[in-house]
Amino acid sequence: MAASVREKQAAALKRMLNFNAQPLKNTAAEPVWKVLIYDRFGQDIISPLLAVKELRDMGITLHLLLHSDRDPIPDVPAVYFVMPTEENIDRICQDLRNQLYESYYLNFISAISRSKLEDIASAALSANAVTQVTKVFDQYLNFITLEDDMFILCNQNKELISYHAINKPDIMDTEMEAIMDTIVDSLFCFFVTLGAVPIIRCPRGNAAEMVAVKLDKKLRENLRDARNSLFTGDNMGAGQFSFQRPLFVLADRNLDLATPLHHTWTYQALIHDVLDFHLNRVSMDESVGSEASPSGARPKKKNKKSYDLTAADKFWQKHKGSPFPEVAESVQEELDTYRAQEDEVKRLKSIMGLEGEDEGAISSISMSDNTAKLTSAVSSLPELLEKKRLIDLHTNVATAVLDHIKSRKLDVYFEYEEKLMSKSTLDKSLLDIISDPDAGTPEDKMRLFLIFYITALQPPSESDLDQYKKALLETGCDLSSLNYIKQWKAFTKIAATPSNYGNSGVKPMGLFSRVMNSGSQFVMEGVKHLVLKQHETDDYRYFDPKMLRGSESSTPRNKNPFQEAIVFVVGGGNYIEYQNLVDYTKAKPGKRVLYGCSELFNAGQFIKQLSSLGQK
């Protein structure tokens, strides 16, 4: 099986940190000590992939932000990893003039333009530092990999390509072009790193189609320029070439606005929904001691604590997609096994301690036997400590999530929304939940109501709507997001895409509609429709950048089934859809599906974007 994107991106970073030479395996030689200078974009790309310890193993003694005050370190090479922006280039030129380092390895996250290269060259000339600029590389790494099978385009400046940016009513053509170019630049980097030219499919008439057209053009131009093509033999490391080309399906967020608002039930998606979780790091307030503070005393300050949820964390890898109650049980089980192991070590220590008093009494046999036991127990200590750290981490995180579930009655919301989405019979009225003061925050109520509004086949009558609005306003909801959803619904009606939530007899919109719309294990029947059915995808446009003529042929040349697919949502995505695809892939041996999105938002962030659109 081909290496995952995460492995490829990490390998590319390691190669870069090794001055763009392949890192040598099994050498005992010391690495060359160097400084890593990155901007915020570079930091976001590196941090989910390489830990500080790995950087140190690669010889990075210092890692600093480009725009921080840095002291000269004259006898050390510096590796730069930055975006080719105006201000970054200016700062690099300033570094050259101030002669901060011994030599400069400039790596740009995405391709640098000729004019900016010339700026660096003239600065190097005037600073008499031409010989010190050792290498300049375009790395094509302008995307962030969060999981083996998940990536996002950016974290910095993500508002520039957000759902809000793409859908605001007063957007100018030039702005739209710029947004599409940014997205395409990142996707191009993604395919260069993946080392494959995809076959692109997309629905017609939305932002996804614009991205597809531009990406096809960019890939085509690169393939045509045979000397500098990034997809030919020399640039592709051995073993990256699989004969199967990936299928790249672009979807538009507007096809489904219900799922991102959904209250979810799986561990990773819940953490993202209720805690502060981004780039695989969760930050939360840690309450210091639960004892009541004396009256009149200032309440104790909460510490911010952050935890990294990494690929090395086996518990996380196993349970991030599990329903929350299962996770809680597993944490308890882990804790019990850990305690048993700890007791065993203590027991052995005490035996050794006691029996060590009377030298003669211990026969040499039992002594060697015990020593072996103790040695194994002691050698397992570091592993035990690491296990303890992970158990503590998940206990804290799971407890924090549980507090939210209890205080906001999230389980009630989850079940009710599931029923709405799958058109099952509802056991209590929506108004009851909205007007129940104990159930959830105003935002939770707004999310529930929006899902009800989006999935309803018939919109509620004006009088009902006024009643709902009144109830929502009384609980303190901001209704501007509803205004936007109303416009959106009116617009999609005109565009006449019969959206198919649940199992009414309407023909599914496209190949991912059912799985995007029916979000959970209860409605897994939605997933069956994910299999490519010919008649459903006929209206999807088909691009093959490898075809010489750019003829827009909607008849796919390649009728073979695909082993690898990449689903990319323009306008933002979430962990719920990611988890659905993971579950789907598990059921299909030999298939790999990657999930990507232009930004990753949780329901709260998405509602904010909808609200600001509704205020326009």
Side-chain angles (χ1 to χ4, degrees):
M1 183 163 252
S4 69
V5 171
R6 186 190 204 145
E7 287 158 12
K8 286 181 181 174
Q9 198 179 17
L13 285 171
K14 286 181 175 161
R15 197 165 56 239
M16 174 190 89
L17 295 175
N18 201 33
F19 305 129
N20 290 302
Q22 280 295 348
L24 297 165
K25 302 271 188 308
N26 61 29
T27 48
E30 278 284 293
V32 180
W33 297 111
K34 47 195 167 288
V35 188
L36 171 63
I37 312 289
Y38 47 47
D39 59 0
R40 296 255 178 235
F41 288 92
Q43 188 178 21
D44 287 343
I45 292 168
I46 292 174
S47 66
L49 290 173
L50 301 175
V52 176
K53 180 185 176 305
E54 291 176 88
L55 291 178
R56 204 168 298 127
D57 294 345
M58 300 281 311
I60 303 290
T61 48
L62 266 181
H63 40 97
L64 304 163
L65 279 165
L66 177 66
H67 293 282
S68 57
D69 293 331
R70 289 172 280 119
D71 298 323
I73 313 176
D75 47 356
V76 168
V79 175
Y80 284 74
F81 185 50
V82 295
M83 285 293 273
T85 58
E86 246 358 286
E87 63 227 329
N88 284 356
I89 303 286
D90 291 346
R91 188 60 193 254
I92 292 173
C93 296
Q94 193 183 324
D95 288 356
L96 291 172
R97 284 195 288 277
N98 297 345
Q99 301 191 340
L100 288 187
Y101 308 108
E102 174 198 56
S103 55
Y104 302 84
Y105 293 82
L106 305 178
N107 297 280
F108 295 103
I109 299 175
S110 68
I112 181 172
S113 67
R114 173 116 201 167
S115 60
K116 288 183 180 150
L117 260 182
E118 286 166 0
D119 294 346
I120 295 179
S122 55
L125 267 173
S126 62
N128 205 358
V130 177
T131 49
Q132 281 131 318
V133 180
T134 320
K135 282 183 180 168
V136 181
F137 265 89
D138 289 334
Q139 288 293 350
Y140 294 103
L141 290 173
N142 190 12
F143 61 96
I144 302 170
T145 324
L146 294 178
E147 306 280 345
D148 280 344
D149 45 9
M150 178 179 187
F151 67 98
I152 60 175
L153 295 193
C154 63
N155 183 47
Q156 299 297 320
N157 300 356
K158 59 174 177 233
E159 62 283 352
L160 297 181
I161 57 166
S162 62
Y163 179 80
H164 173 260
I166 297 172
N167 291 284
K168 60 179 192 214
D170 54 354
I171 188 165
M172 285 151 50
D173 288 355
T174 47
E175 291 178 282
M176 194 63 172
E177 287 287 311
I179 294 172
M180 295 300 132
D181 286 340
T182 311
I183 293 179
V184 167
D185 178 65
S186 286
L187 288 174
F188 181 73
C189 292
F190 171 80
F191 286 111
V192 172
T193 307
L194 192 65
V197 182
I199 285 177
I200 306 168
R201 303 296 308 263
C202 70
R204 294 171 184 276
N206 50 25
E209 182 179 32
M210 295 165 75
V211 172
V213 172
K214 276 183 178 289
L215 181 64
D216 175 61
K217 180 166 172 258
K218 188 158 182 157
L219 287 166
R220 195 179 288 278
E221 282 167 5
N222 192 275
L223 287 166
R224 199 169 292 149
D225 178 4
R227 243 183 7 176
N228 300 322
S229 172
L230 295 157
F231 295 97
T232 48
D234 306 345
N235 298 336
M236 315 281 287
Q240 288 191 349
F241 226 91
S242 72
F243 289 105
Q244 276 278 339
R245 288 168 60 192
L247 171 69
F248 185 53
V249 181
L250 281 148
D252 192 295
R253 181 71 280 154
N254 277 322
L255 291 179
D256 168 29
L257 295 184
T259 307
L261 297 168
H262 188 24
H263 285 87
T264 168
W265 205 230
T266 55
Y267 191 31
Q268 185 174 27
L270 259 172
I271 291 176
H272 188 229
D273 190 2
V274 300
L275 303 176
D276 173 16
F277 178 58
H278 60 277
L279 298 187
N280 295 351
R281 170 170 293 179
V282 59
S283 313
M284 43 199 242
D285 293 326
E286 197 181 42
S287 43
V288 189
S290 51
E291 70 275 0
S293 49
S295 56
R298 299 232 297 280
K300 295 199 168 159
K301 188 168 164 285
K302 290 189 167 181
N303 291 345
K304 266 280 191 211
K305 194 105 171 89
S306 61
Y307 303 106
D308 287 315
L309 298 169
T310 59
D313 177 345
K314 288 198 180 66
F315 183 86
W316 174 243
Q317 287 308 317
K318 187 172 168 198
H319 291 292
K320 64 186 182 199
S322 310
F324 189 73
E326 267 179 43
V327 175
E329 280 170 30
S330 310
V331 171
Q332 193 51 51
E333 283 165 21
E334 290 280 314
L335 196 57
D336 295 345
T337 40
Y338 166 75
R339 289 202 174 124
Q341 283 173 304
E342 194 180 41
D343 292 347
E344 176 65 11
V345 173
K346 281 185 184 151
R347 197 180 62 80
L348 280 169
K349 275 185 180 164
S350 65
I351 290 174
M352 294 305 284
L354 291 173
E355 293 186 359
E357 288 165 24
D358 184 4
E359 291 295 310
I362 301 172
S363 66
S364 56
I365 305 160
S366 74
M367 187 66 194
S368 65
D369 183 35
N370 266 336
T371 313
K373 269 190 188 163
L374 189 70
T375 317
S376 83
V378 171
S379 63
S380 69
L381 267 178
E383 196 184 309
L384 264 184
L385 287 171
E386 175 61 8
K387 215 172 190 178
K388 171 109 174 68
R389 185 186 73 79
L390 291 178
I391 291 171
D392 288 348
L393 183 160
H394 287 288
T395 310
N396 291 345
V397 172
T399 313
V401 170
L402 189 63
D403 291 344
H404 280 278
I405 293 176
K406 280 185 184 153
S407 66
R408 289 160 56 183
K409 295 196 181 170
L410 295 185
D411 46 283
V412 178
Y413 281 96
F414 168 68
E415 282 171 20
Y416 200 85
E417 287 166 13
E418 284 295 339
K419 286 177 182 156
L420 281 175
M421 286 176 159
S422 60
K423 301 278 178 288
S424 331
T425 43
L426 303 169
D427 47 0
K428 55 172 156 185
S429 87
L430 184 65
L431 264 177
D432 289 353
I433 299 188
I434 292 176
S435 34
D436 176 356
D438 300 333
T441 59
E443 189 180 89
D444 290 326
K445 296 177 180 182
M446 201 63 217
R447 282 162 64 178
L448 173 66
F449 182 69
L450 288 177
I451 289 177
F452 159 71
Y453 192 84
I454 291 168
T455 53
L457 293 173
Q458 251 30 84
S461 66
E462 280 303 314
S463 56
D464 287 358
L465 192 59
D466 290 339
Q467 213 178 342
Y468 284 129
K469 277 182 167 175
K470 187 165 164 268
L472 287 165
L473 282 170
E474 277 168 11
T475 56
C477 293
D478 171 13
L479 293 185
S480 39
S481 49
L482 177 63
N483 300 339
Y484 176 73
I485 294 289
K486 270 186 177 164
Q487 296 162 11
W488 169 79
K489 214 162 172 174
F491 177 74
T492 41
K493 256 211 195 81
I494 301 165
T497 46
S499 78
N500 185 346
Y501 288 97
N503 12 358
S504 53
V506 197
K507 166 183 170 296
M509 285 192 287
L511 70 163
F512 283 99
S513 64
R514 293 295 287 275
V515 78
M516 294 291 194
N517 295 336
S518 44
S520 78
Q521 54 273 50
F522 300 151
V523 210
M524 274 323 267
E525 47 83 29
V527 165
K528 300 190 187 99
H529 290 269
L530 222 122
V531 191
L532 281 160
K533 289 207 186 106
Q534 196 48 51
H535 65 275
E536 287 180 14
T537 56
D538 272 352
D539 54 345
Y540 268 49
R541 288 186 65 177
Y542 176 90
F543 298 92
D544 183 349
K546 280 194 169 175
M547 290 291 171
L548 285 175
R549 296 185 315 287
S551 62
E552 152 66 20
S553 65
S554 49
T555 50
R557 301 266 195 296
N558 192 338
K559 283 281 171 46
N560 303 341
F562 284 88
Q563 297 312 307
E564 280 194 48
I566 299 145
V567 181
F568 183 83
V569 188
V570 179
N574 51 57
Y575 280 111
I576 306 176
E577 289 168 347
Y578 165 64
Q579 198 48 56
N580 285 336
L581 284 176
V582 171
D583 294 342
Y584 166 74
T585 319
K586 276 188 189 142
K588 296 262 180 287
K591 295 246 188 275
R592 284 178 60 187
V593 181
L594 274 82
Y595 178 73
C597 49
S598 49
E599 65 162 332
L600 192 62
F601 44 53
N602 62 17
Q605 293 156 335
F606 188 49
I607 274 222
K608 276 202 187 74
Q609 293 194 27
L610 294 178
S611 299
S612 57
L613 283 166
Q615 287 158 2
K616 288 271 186 326

